[in-house]
């Protein structure tokens, strides 16, 4: 059983809390081994909507494997200068170790930064306060325009609804992809994952950005990776010039258009080989001109020969 602690400070953003909390509650319904707690530096906590909650005190100890989640607040300058927030920062410095996972939603990343927990790590926060986070945590690598970022045992998100994207990623990490997929369907959410995770499915990788035109181009390729997609055709469909789309795609997705399609085609080949399809037919089904062409691309991303999976 994994203990998950939502830590709230006065005037916390309601959606930063209830969105991820509902996702985790649904995961429990689906069999995830989570046990949820709500705690904070003050026994009575009022949300951004004026709702008052009685919450538990900060735990005196955390079991290895616990997950702590920090939520954002209405006015981080004022709210994080309070004695309550300062007590929470001191608690974080004492209790967040490599054996305890930490996740932040929106300006909750500032609390982690003030506690020195983001030093040497890639991280993100709401687009309006990334500069503030960089100033508070100068040893961190603050990334703009990211839904969420995972670096070791610490994950940070852009906030508001992206807290639910992060929650789905945490559910997948700790309870498996089937549970995460069922929760995503119940919540009617698109499951996006962080682009720097090497264990990602290529169908979910390189989607950790917020640019709608690039997402539309990725959707077009993903719907039919076997189809030939010249950049001119994609650009016309998403209403950009080919040059602009090429630049934006690499800038936002972190990968070129050709490589993105190649990765999806290799994934299709893998699926077909696991189904017992011969290598030549699998190459054809994924849109390669020949098995030879497929093998040339295959070895860019795979360490085993395709014949070993047939």
């Amino acid at each position: 059983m994994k203990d998950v602690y939502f830590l709230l400070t006065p005037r916390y953003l309601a959606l930063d809390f209830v969105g991820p909390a509902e996702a985790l509650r649904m995961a429990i319904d689906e069999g995830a081994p989570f046990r949820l707690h709500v705690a904070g530096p003050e026994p009575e906590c009022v949300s951004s909507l004026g709702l008052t909650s009685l919450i538990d005190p900060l735990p005196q100890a955390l079991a290895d494997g616990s997950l702590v989640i920090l939520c954002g607040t209405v006015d981080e300058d004022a709210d994080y200068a309070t004695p309550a927030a300062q007590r929470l920062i001191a608690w974080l410095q004492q209790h967040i170790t490599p054996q305890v996972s930490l996740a932040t939603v929106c300006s909750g990343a500032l609390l982690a930064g003030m506690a020195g927990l983001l030093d040497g790590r890639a991280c993100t926060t709401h687009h309006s306060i990334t500069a503030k986070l960089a100033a508070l945590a100068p040893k961190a690598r603050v990334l703009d325009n990211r839904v969420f970022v995972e670096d070791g045992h610490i994950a940070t998100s852009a906030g508001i609804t992206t807290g639910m994207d992060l929650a789905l990623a945490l559910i997948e990490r700790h309870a498996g992809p089937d549970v995460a997929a069922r929760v995503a369907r119940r919540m009617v959410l698109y499951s996006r994952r962080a682009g720097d995770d090497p264990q990602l499915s290529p169908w979910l990788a390189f989607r950790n950005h917020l640019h709608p035109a690039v997402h539309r181009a990725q959707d077009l390729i993903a719907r039919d990776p076997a189809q030939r997609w010249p950049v001119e055709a994609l650009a016309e469909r998403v209403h950009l010039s080919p040059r602009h789309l090429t630049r934006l795609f690499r800038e936002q997705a972190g990968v070129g258009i050709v490589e993105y399609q190649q990765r999806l085609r290799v994934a299709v080949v893998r699926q077909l080989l696991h189904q017992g399809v011969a290598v030549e037919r699998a190459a054809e089904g994924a849109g390669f001109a020949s098995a030879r062409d497929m093998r040339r691309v295959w070895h860019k991303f795979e360490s085993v020969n395709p014949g070993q999976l047939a």
Side-chain angles (χ1 to χ4, degrees), residues 188-258:
V188 199
L189 280 176
Y190 176 75
S191 182
R192 264 190 294 234
R193 294 300 315 272
D196 55 358
D197 187 337
Q199 297 182 357
L200 283 181
S201 160
W203 303 101
L204 298 178
F206 312 110
R207 302 302 295 257
N208 190 35
H209 61 85
L210 303 176
H211 200 287
V214 177
H215 276 304
R216 288 197 298 271
Q218 289 175 297
D219 288 341
L220 288 167
I221 296 171
R223 287 191 196 112
D224 189 3
Q227 179 175 329
R228 183 173 176 269
W229 280 109
V231 65
E232 293 79 10
L234 282 175
E236 183 178 358
R237 295 286 293 274
V238 301
H239 309 296
L240 294 175
S241 70
R243 182 177 180 180
H244 192 195
L245 176 60
T246 300
R247 181 185 62 79
L248 276 178
F249 201 104
R250 182 168 291 282
E251 179 182 279
Q252 299 296 322
V255 67
I257 294 172
V258 172

Side-chain angles (χ1 to χ4, degrees), residues 243-294:
R243 182 177 180 180
H244 192 195
L245 176 60
T246 300
R247 181 185 62 79
L248 276 178
F249 201 104
R250 182 168 291 282
E251 179 182 279
Q252 299 296 322
V255 67
I257 294 172
V258 172
E259 180 180 338
Y260 182 72
Q261 183 168 24
Q262 287 177 338
R263 287 178 178 272
L264 294 187
R265 285 183 170 181
V266 167
V268 171
V269 171
R270 286 186 66 92
Q271 292 170 353
L272 292 173
L273 292 176
H274 283 306
Q275 294 168 13
V277 178
V279 172
E280 291 75 11
R281 294 292 301 276
E284 180 184 344
F288 290 102
S290 66
R292 180 179 179 180
D293 284 346
M294 182 272 291

Side-chain angles (χ1 to χ4, degrees), residues 3 5 12 22 48 52-53 59 72 78 81 107 127 141 161 171 176 182 212 217 222 224 243 293 299:
D3 288 305
Y5 295 88
Y12 68 91
E22 277 295 334
S48 58
T52 301
S53 300
S107 61
H127 60 82
R141 185 161 60 94
T161 58
I171 291 167
R182 291 198 295 272
D224 189 3
R243 182 177 180 180
D293 284 346
H299 288 297

